[in-house]
């Protein structure tokens, strides 16, 4: 699905102004071997705001617009990106136990949208995504989420491993699925601050990231079929968290 022209930011100065005004940017396409003071400024701003830059031939830019692009085009994001620590602080200040979802290498935007929809329905407050290697949060992702991507905090980070460190420093436990895990998903304690890592279908969560997790779990199945679709699996885990949190809150009310 192509980007609409309305989502493009074309030219050097318009891009600088957009970033400085706080507009969320998905990524920047920069013509190879392009230089100049404004390009240096853009690179610095991109680093500061964790916006990925992709070097491309001029032909790639020419296919996106007939306007004078000056060697640079950016894709405006459809959702704002938030700072992870600020989101954690906000959730805690609201008196809630964080429930986050981290997406590792999921490129199918329909799965991303479906996960976002389940996250909102089950009370998760944030989705954590990397700045590279994930499907764009474009019109199709937004449509697949039924608008949920505009009702949940999206934190884009340049390192998922560093994000796990931030979660740990804030007392948030990290869980990831593993087919050979001994613990079933319903044996996890999801009433306490938690983040669920969901990996790409086939590859799963990357080993270095899984190693940093606190707990491994599996979703039991009736037969020996391959596995659940990643969006379905995320929905199952998130609903388990919702069930546990609602049940504990009902029980506490009855006992008080």
């Amino acid at each position: 699905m192509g980007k609409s022209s309305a989502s493009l930011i074309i030219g050097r100065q318009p891009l600088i102004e957009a970033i400085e005004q706080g507009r969320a940017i998905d990524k920047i396409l920069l013509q190879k071997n392009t230089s100049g003071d404004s390009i240096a400024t853009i690179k610095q701003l991109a680093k500061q705001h964790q916006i990925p830059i992709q070097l491309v031939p001029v032909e790639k830019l020419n296919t996106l617009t007939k306007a004078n692009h000056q060697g640079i085009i950016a894709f405006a994001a459809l959702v704002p990106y938030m700072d992870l620590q600020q989101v954690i602080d906000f959730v805690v200040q609201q008196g809630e136990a964080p429930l986050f979802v981290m997406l590792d290498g999921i490129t199918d935007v329909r799965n991303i949208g479906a996960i976002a929809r389940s996250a909102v329905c089950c009370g998760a407050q944030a989705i954590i995504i990397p700045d590279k290697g994930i499907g764009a949060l474009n019109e199709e992702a937004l449509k697949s989420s039924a608008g949920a991507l505009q009702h949940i905090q999206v934190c884009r980070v340049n390192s998922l491993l560093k994000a796990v460190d931030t979660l740990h420093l804030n007392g948030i436990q990290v869980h990831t699925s593993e087919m050979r895990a001994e613990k079933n998903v319903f044996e996890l304690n999801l009433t306490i601050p938690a983040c669920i890592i969901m990996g790409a279908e086939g590859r799963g969560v990357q080993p270095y990231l899984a190693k940093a997790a606190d707990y491994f779990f599996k979703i039991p199945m009736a037969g020996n079929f391959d596995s659940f679709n990643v969006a379905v699996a995320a929905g199952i885990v998130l609903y388990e968290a919702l069930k546990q949190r609602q049940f504990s809150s009902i029980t506490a009310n009855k006992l008080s």
Side-chain angles (χ1 to χ4, degrees):
M1 184 174 183
K3 296 274 184 178
S4 66
S5 59
S7 68
L8 297 181
I9 300 173
I10 302 167
R12 303 180 185 189
Q13 194 56 37
L15 177 55
I16 291 173
E17 292 175 2
I19 298 174
E20 289 180 338
Q21 290 168 6
R23 192 169 179 188
I25 308 295
D26 262 331
K27 68 177 177 179
I28 297 169
L29 300 185
L30 177 62
Q31 182 181 329
K32 293 178 181 177
N33 304 318
T34 299
S35 60
D37 291 342
S38 56
I39 295 299
T41 299
I42 288 170
K43 287 181 177 179
Q44 181 60 36
L45 286 170
K47 183 178 181 181
Q48 181 182 340
H49 294 272
Q50 299 181 359
I51 304 169
I53 295 179
Q54 182 180 344
L55 297 178
V56 298
V58 66
E59 291 80 9
K60 172 68 174 178
L61 301 179
N62 291 341
T63 61
L64 294 171
T65 181
K66 289 182 168 47
N68 178 18
H69 49 66
Q70 301 175 304
I72 196 159
I73 293 176
F75 293 121
L78 296 180
V79 297
Y81 295 121
M82 308 300 294
D83 177 78
L84 177 57
Q85 185 60 58
Q86 290 180 356
V87 170
I88 294 171
D89 292 343
F90 176 77
V91 171
V92 172
Q93 287 168 8
Q94 297 299 305
E96 300 177 13
L99 176 60
F100 298 164
V101 184
M102 179 179 289
L103 306 184
D104 175 28
I106 299 177
T107 56
D108 188 325
V109 296
R110 292 166 298 182
N111 279 332
I112 294 172
I115 291 171
R117 187 173 183 175
S118 292
V120 171
C121 288
C122 295
Q125 303 98 345
I127 292 175
I128 304 168
I129 62 171
D131 60 5
K132 297 176 183 175
I134 191 166
L137 303 189
N138 57 18
E139 291 91 344
E140 188 173 0
L142 199 63
K143 182 179 179 181
S144 297
S145 77
L149 277 168
Q150 295 178 320
H151 295 277
I152 192 168
Q153 308 283 7
V154 179
C155 304
R156 184 171 68 177
V157 299
N158 58 17
S159 167
L160 291 180
L161 196 57
K162 288 181 181 178
V164 170
D165 288 341
T166 299
L167 294 169
H168 282 155
L169 287 170
N170 286 274
I172 299 172
Q173 292 188 346
V174 179
H175 308 270
T176 186
S177 61
E178 166 57 55
M179 293 287 288
R180 297 178 296 277
E182 294 182 3
K183 187 172 288 190
N184 289 311
V185 62
F186 49 78
E187 296 177 277
L188 298 176
N189 181 1
L190 297 173
T191 63
I192 60 178
C195 177
I196 313 299
I197 307 179
M198 301 304 302
E201 294 193 40
R203 186 195 69 184
V205 176
Q206 297 181 81
Y208 78 90
L209 196 57
K211 189 176 179 182
D214 299 292
Y215 295 102
F216 296 95
F217 66 88
K218 64 183 177 183
I219 300 174
M221 299 185 298
N224 295 320
F225 193 70
D226 184 18
S227 64
F228 290 102
N229 162 274
V230 64
V232 173
I236 292 170
V237 182
L238 288 163
Y239 193 79
E240 176 63 28
L242 173 66
K243 184 180 72 172
Q244 289 186 18
R245 291 178 177 213
Q246 282 201 341
F247 179 79
S248 63
S249 128
I250 292 170
T251 302
N253 289 335
K254 285 182 177 179
L255 293 176
S256 60

